[in-house]
Amino acid sequence: MRQDLTVQQMSEDDDRSPPLDLRCGAAPSINRARNCSGEAVSGSGSSTSSSIPASVPVTVTEYQSQYPDQVLEIVLENVLQFLTSRRDRNAASLVCKSWWRAEALTRSELFIGNCYAVSPDRARGRFRRVRSVVLKGKPRFADFNLMPPDWGAHFGPWVCVLANAYPWLEKVYLKRMSITDDDLALLAESFSGFKELTLVCCEGFGTCGLAFIASKCRQLRVLDLIETEVTDDEVDWISLFPEGETCLESLIFDCVDCAINFEALEKLVARSPFLRKLRLNRHVSIRQLYRLMVRAPQLTHLGTGKYGPSEVAQRQGDTEPDYIAAFAACKSLVCLSGFREITPDYLSAIYPVCANLTSLNFSYATITADQLKPVICNCHKLQIFWVGVPCVIDYQCFEEIWVLKLILAVIMQALDSICDEGLQAVAATCKELRELRVFPMNAQEDVEGPVSEVGLQAISEGCRKLQSILYFCQRMTNAAVIAMSSNCLELEVFRLCIMGRHRPDHATGEPMDEGFGAIVRNCRKLTRLAVSGLLTDRAFGYIGKYGKLIRTLSVAFAGDSDMGLKYVLEGCPKLQKLEIRDSPFGDAALRSGLHHYYNMRFLWMSSCRLTRQGCQEIAQAMPRLVVEVIRSDDEEETDNYVETLYMYRSLEGPRHDAPKFVTILR
């Protein structure tokens, strides 16, 4: 049973993304027949191997000794229904066998943070009443082309088991999974009450697969496609939603880069009275947007698609609709995004809703500060603000660009085109700022950027409630980082990317050790850290000594020797995710973490100083750790040098679908 106890631990994720409400699932009936050992008996009347045969008489004494435990289990099951935190449920399952059993019976959401950490069959055997599945596949480096696209993470084996085990399944959330049209067809045909499908950074399927979902899932409430690659199969999937009133509440397809049947979309929106979220792709013009808004004034979240006229309308010289009136009619609108291929002349149309907006995303908009100011000055309730077009950046210092869900936080995301002066204005105005992301306009290392330590220090002095920051810049000083550590004591996430390798303190020429040391020493709530610039082993010594809550650490072009990594692995007991590239850490550093790897989600090391023999030693010492060596196309398998190492814990051992460029060491 010990291995089963760790099934959910293998998939434990960052609690900043809240789990789905377990209370949405049906509560188990307390009028349940049980045998004398406390095991539930199936409805057909069959019993487990531990039940007492009918021919054996049960004395009153025996019955009375078992009955109190049975009552306690039933009470416990009903209490656990209200325990929603994954970590809390994991802890409850480890108390004793009866708690382990009760927790499994009451868990309605299955979260698997690594699809290879546990097999579908093991998950099915452990949890019997799942209604919602969250499944993650490839490591996040796949987003930055640092992993071959055919590495794995196939949804096929999972959907086959889900179809047989959970016919009442309602929700599926997949991230970085490889999905086929056949997978979506099986999903659509297997669950009669299926309601929500969210695909994030997935690939492998096309509009044919979407057609299965649209036509078969008659109770569908959510279809969200986010940063997902969808092949154009020339299938009109939008028109295949069932006729009559639908249950749709959210429809997001802004990443689908192919034309859609707008007439069918308009009819779908018109017969979806519960629709609240709608994000359109770039093939929907502002004139078509107007028609949709007239049909659905109840929208709360709107992605505008192409915020400009169509070429046909421009050629014909048609009279423009009253866009201002359409926006004014949407009294519930609190979130605006999209604005692809924006025509600035149309920006004034959104003025009527600005006063009510809590979220505004201009990530795809190419507008000037003068065009932006009239919008912002009316957004008095704004909590989330994204502006500029994010570049494709080296993965070393940031995770996903998109924030999928943010609760009770205020965000500003900006390109560095706002300059230090812009950040000073933010600091003077946004006193409630919780999260700041500043991306570079030009991702080249040798280009001087307009943001620096001046902007960072201004933010630290003006936004003292800051909890998370991602900051790209070309220069930085220890003094500015130390100031942030002193002023922003609530920091939980600090990711500083000094673009360019081994760049020191801009003012003194010293390493950036003291700045990062101050961050881990003063920010006691820090759970995520990304380091860059010129760093010696001293910086890693500070991290190991003070970073006791750090769960995720990203390192690039840093360190002096193996001692740097050793400090971290021996000093950070809660470390779950460790990603390192282009750093001087070798086999000795890798061996220093033998005591901790079973407690980690994964370790990724690329372009370091690892050898095949050193990785082999880890694999032999830790048989339940999967050690994958990933080669480049031109690299021979016999080479002793390891280009990329990906290690993760698994109850199942090595996977069986590894491609040829992946060698799993044993």
Side-chain angles (χ1 to χ4, degrees):
M1 185 186 74
R2 179 61 188 172
Q3 283 190 338
D4 287 338
L5 287 175
T6 61
V7 170
Q8 62 269 48
Q9 291 177 324
M10 304 295 290
S11 62
E12 186 176 295
D13 198 16
D14 195 334
D15 276 352
R16 286 181 297 157
S17 298
L20 299 175
D21 192 344
L22 292 173
R23 287 171 286 182
C24 65
S29 171
I30 62 173
N31 298 318
R32 181 186 296 112
R34 290 179 177 269
N35 57 37
C36 292
S37 66
E39 298 284 355
V41 181
S42 65
S44 61
S46 61
S47 62
T48 64
S49 59
S50 61
S51 60
I52 299 176
S55 59
V56 178
V58 180
T59 65
V60 174
T61 303
E62 290 173 331
Y63 179 79
Q64 288 177 341
S65 65
Q66 294 291 335
Y67 186 74
D69 289 340
Q70 176 183 337
V71 172
L72 288 176
E73 276 198 40
I74 295 174
V75 172
L76 179 60
E77 288 177 21
N78 284 274
V79 171
L80 287 177
Q81 292 287 337
F82 302 97
L83 196 61
T84 58
S85 167
R86 287 191 294 269
R87 287 191 189 150
D88 289 345
R89 295 188 71 90
N90 293 346
S93 70
L94 297 175
V95 172
C96 61
K97 185 175 181 179
S98 62
W99 282 55
W100 175 85
R101 182 168 49 244
E103 194 281 319
L105 288 173
T106 57
R107 183 175 288 225
S108 64
E109 177 190 324
L110 177 62
F111 179 95
I112 304 294
N114 178 355
C115 65
Y116 290 119
V118 61
S119 70
D121 288 329
R122 185 187 293 270
R124 172 179 57 185
R126 171 74 172 89
F127 304 104
R128 304 296 181 87
R129 299 177 181 177
V130 171
R131 292 180 177 272
S132 171
V133 172
V134 178
L135 185 61
K136 298 184 179 183
K138 300 176 184 178
R140 68 187 187 89
F141 320 112
D143 295 347
F144 309 98
N145 298 320
L146 293 174
M147 175 171 282
D150 52 350
W151 174 81
H154 302 291
F155 182 50
W158 282 92
V159 71
C160 290
V161 170
L162 295 177
N164 293 323
Y166 310 122
W168 49 81
L169 192 70
E170 296 179 350
K171 304 176 184 179
V172 170
Y173 175 103
L174 304 177
K175 188 170 186 179
R176 299 191 188 96
M177 296 290 293
S178 179
I179 308 168
T180 66
D181 290 334
D182 290 339
D183 295 338
L184 293 180
L186 181 58
L187 184 73
E189 293 169 353
S190 301
F191 311 110
S192 59
F194 192 73
K195 296 177 181 178
E196 298 185 16
L197 177 63
T198 301
L199 307 179
V200 181
C201 300
C202 294
E203 61 184 4
F205 66 97
T207 52
C208 184
L210 295 180
F212 286 116
I213 298 296
S215 60
K216 300 290 186 179
C217 303
R218 306 188 67 86
Q219 298 183 43
L220 194 66
R221 296 187 308 201
V222 175
L223 178 57
D224 290 350
L225 309 173
I226 302 169
E227 297 299 302
T228 290
E229 296 181 13
V230 181
T231 304
D232 185 4
D233 300 324
E234 298 183 355
V235 176
D236 182 11
W237 62 280
I238 286 287
S239 65
L240 296 179
F241 282 89
E243 295 294 332
E245 185 174 292
T246 76
C247 302
L248 269 181
E249 298 175 8
S250 178
L251 178 61
I252 296 176
F253 63 96
D254 54 344
C255 62
V256 179
D257 195 21
C258 57
I260 51 103
N261 183 339
F262 177 75
E263 286 70 24
L265 176 62
E266 185 177 20
K267 293 178 182 178
L268 175 63
V269 169
R271 64 178 190 272
S272 302
F274 304 107
L275 190 65
R276 295 295 181 268
K277 298 180 181 180
L278 178 64
R279 280 165 51 179
L280 310 167
N281 67 6
R282 66 181 182 86
H283 294 278
V284 178
S285 69
I286 190 171
R287 185 181 293 265
Q288 294 171 325
L289 172 67
Y290 168 83
R291 291 166 58 179
L292 295 176
M293 294 177 67
V294 171
R295 296 282 191 178
Q298 78 278 4
L299 289 174
T300 60
H301 296 65
L302 176 63
T304 64
K306 178 182 178 181
Y307 200 69
S310 65
E311 295 181 1
V312 175
Q314 287 178 315
R315 287 196 302 267
Q316 294 177 350
D318 295 342
T319 304
E320 295 284 2
D322 190 348
Y323 300 119
I324 295 178
F327 275 100
C330 296
K331 307 286 187 186
S332 302
L333 200 60
V334 295
C335 177
L336 266 180
S337 62
F339 301 101
R340 297 166 185 262
E341 302 176 33
I342 187 172
T343 302
D345 292 343
Y346 292 93
L347 269 179
S348 59
I350 70 173
Y351 290 174
V353 298
C354 286
N356 202 40
L357 288 181
T358 58
S359 175
L360 179 60
N361 184 346
F362 276 151
S363 293
Y364 288 99
T366 305
I367 57 176
T368 66
D370 290 338
Q371 294 163 345
L372 183 62
K373 287 178 182 178
V375 176
I376 294 301
C377 70
N378 291 300
C379 299
H380 305 295
K381 298 181 181 179
L382 198 64
Q383 295 180 330
I384 301 174
F385 179 40
W386 296 3
V387 61
V389 183
C391 302
V392 178
I393 309 299
D394 191 351
Y395 79 90
Q396 66 199 44
C397 284
F398 84 105
E399 194 171 353
E400 300 88 7
I401 287 176
W402 309 112
V403 177
L404 300 182
K405 183 179 287 186
L406 185 68
I407 296 182
L408 297 177
V410 183
I411 285 187
M412 174 168 288
Q413 172 173 314
L415 282 183
D416 62 11
S417 59
I418 65 175
C419 307
D420 286 329
E421 292 80 8
L423 292 176
Q424 289 170 334
V426 170
T429 306
C430 304
K431 299 302 181 182
E432 298 299 316
L433 197 68
R434 297 294 193 275
E435 182 169 339
L436 173 67
R437 298 188 177 194
V438 179
F439 292 97
M441 178 177 293
N442 193 322
Q444 297 180 9
E445 296 180 359
D446 56 351
V447 176
E448 190 67 21
V451 296
S452 65
E453 73 280 359
V454 176
L456 186 72
Q457 183 145 354
I459 290 294
S460 71
E461 293 173 354
C463 306
R464 296 182 178 244
K465 296 182 180 180
L466 198 68
Q467 296 175 352
S468 176
I469 183 168
L470 169 61
Y471 198 88
F472 283 89
C473 61
Q474 274 77 19
R475 68 182 199 189
M476 184 53 58
T477 64
N478 281 304
V481 179
I482 292 172
M484 173 152 283
S485 75
S486 300
N487 295 326
C488 303
L489 299 178
E490 299 298 313
L491 270 179
E492 298 175 11
V493 177
F494 184 78
R495 292 182 285 173
L496 175 62
C497 180
I498 306 172
M499 299 174 63
R501 306 185 182 194
H502 313 296
R503 291 201 171 182
D505 183 307
H506 174 69
T508 67
E510 296 293 323
M512 291 295 300
D513 298 342
E514 298 306 320
F516 285 103
I519 288 290
V520 294
R521 182 169 54 249
N522 297 331
C523 303
R524 303 296 179 85
K525 299 180 181 181
L526 196 71
T527 60
R528 180 170 175 81
L529 176 65
V531 299
S532 59
L534 179 61
L535 295 175
T536 70
D537 288 343
R538 174 177 293 187
F540 294 96
Y542 289 140
I543 295 172
K545 183 176 182 180
Y546 299 107
K548 301 305 180 182
L549 298 182
I550 291 178
R551 295 175 57 84
T552 303
L553 177 63
S554 303
V555 179
F557 308 104
D560 290 329
S561 67
D562 289 338
M563 285 303 299
L565 183 55
K566 185 177 180 181
Y567 289 142
V568 170
L569 290 172
E570 293 181 352
C572 300
K574 294 187 179 295
L575 190 63
Q576 289 280 305
K577 306 173 188 177
L578 178 57
E579 46 202 45
I580 305 171
R581 63 160 297 180
D582 294 276
S583 297
F585 304 139
D587 295 342
L590 188 65
R591 284 192 293 269
S592 68
L594 281 170
H595 67 288
H596 188 60
Y597 290 142
Y598 278 152
N599 297 324
M600 292 177 61
R601 173 86 67 81
F602 69 79
L603 167 65
W604 170 283
M605 296 180 69
S606 62
S607 300
C608 294
R609 297 179 181 175
L610 300 176
T611 67
R612 188 182 181 91
Q613 180 181 356
C615 297
Q616 184 75 58
E617 293 177 3
I618 300 297
Q620 292 174 350
M622 309 190 75
R624 287 194 292 115
L625 195 70
V626 178
V627 181
E628 295 193 5
V629 173
I630 304 174
R631 303 185 305 277
S632 58
D633 294 336
D634 57 350
E635 185 181 353
E636 297 291 335
E637 186 174 358
T638 57
D639 289 347
N640 191 44
Y641 169 73
V642 172
E643 171 62 27
T644 300
L645 171 69
Y646 180 46
M647 297 195 317
Y648 54 91
R649 55 187 183 179
S650 174
L651 294 178
E652 309 303 330
R655 59 190 176 110
H656 303 293
D657 62 349
K660 293 182 179 180
F661 55 80
V662 172
T663 300
I664 299 180
L665 304 181
R666 305 170 189 245

